[in-house]
Amino acid sequence: MNVVRRLRRRLATRRLDEGGTAMIELVWLGLLLLVPVVYIVLTAFEVQRGAFATAAAARAAGRAYSLSESDAEGRAQAEAVARRAFLDQGLERTPDLRVSCAPADVCLSGGSVITVVVDTRIDLPLLPDVLGGNRPSIAVDATHSVPYGQYQEVR
């Protein structure tokens, strides 16, 4: 009987000694779970911003190319509007822009189709360069095709 009473007393005093630890455990668990969730949300927002910029750049570059007077002017206008689309989303980088035309690389003739491909890499946020030199990134690309009208004014 004495042994049982002693065990009960020890358990009772231990319960009293652990007062307030639930709050500390809740705070630590909250921080340990909250930090990764916030990082995942920030990363998703950054990638989505890059995807919006890339899609807008491809669409705008295709339209600018199709409205130009010559292939050289079209290329310059396409690059300028692609850079502007990236700046509109807060991305200060030059996108990789490729323009191809069908049939046979004749872009500004009736019935041709101008295809613009924009590639870029979106750096993951909040990762320092100390972790290996190259920041981890996600590749994002967009393609947009613009048919050049068959009925064009003769100049």
Side-chain angles (χ1 to χ4, degrees):
M1 268 308 185
N2 253 346
V3 175
V4 173
R5 286 183 190 161
R6 285 185 201 164
L7 285 175
R8 285 183 185 166
R9 283 184 196 157
R10 283 186 186 173
L11 289 175
T13 57
R14 282 188 184 166
R15 286 185 196 138
L16 293 177
D17 291 342
E18 292 180 5
T21 59
M23 180 61 84
I24 294 171
E25 291 171 3
L26 179 68
V27 168
W28 277 107
L29 280 175
L31 285 175
L32 289 175
L33 295 175
L34 186 64
V35 169
V37 168
V38 167
Y39 181 76
I40 289 170
V41 168
L42 287 175
T43 302
F45 286 161
E46 190 70 21
V47 171
Q48 189 63 41
R49 179 171 72 153
F52 282 150
T54 305
R59 183 174 183 274
R63 288 184 51 124
Y65 198 101
S66 70
L67 295 174
S68 66
E69 298 289 327
S70 68
D71 288 333
E73 180 186 340
R75 177 74 181 179
Q77 286 181 357
E79 288 176 355
V81 297
R83 263 187 258 112
R84 171 55 64 192
F86 269 61
L87 287 173
D88 286 347
Q89 291 294 328
L91 299 174
E92 296 185 15
R93 65 174 59 95
T94 302
D96 182 22
L97 184 83
R98 293 188 312 273
V99 178
S100 62
C101 301
D105 291 334
V106 179
C107 293
L108 299 176
S109 66
S112 67
V113 176
I114 303 166
T115 302
V116 178
V117 178
V118 178
D119 293 320
T120 191
R121 297 194 70 77
I122 305 301
D123 294 332
L124 297 181
L126 305 175
L127 291 179
D129 292 332
V130 186
L131 297 177
N134 296 333
R135 292 182 69 181
S137 60
I138 295 174
V140 178
D141 65 272
T143 303
H144 186 72
S145 296
V146 178
Y148 195 77
Q150 291 180 329
Y151 304 105
Q152 296 293 323
E153 179 182 3
V154 176
R155 296 184 183 125

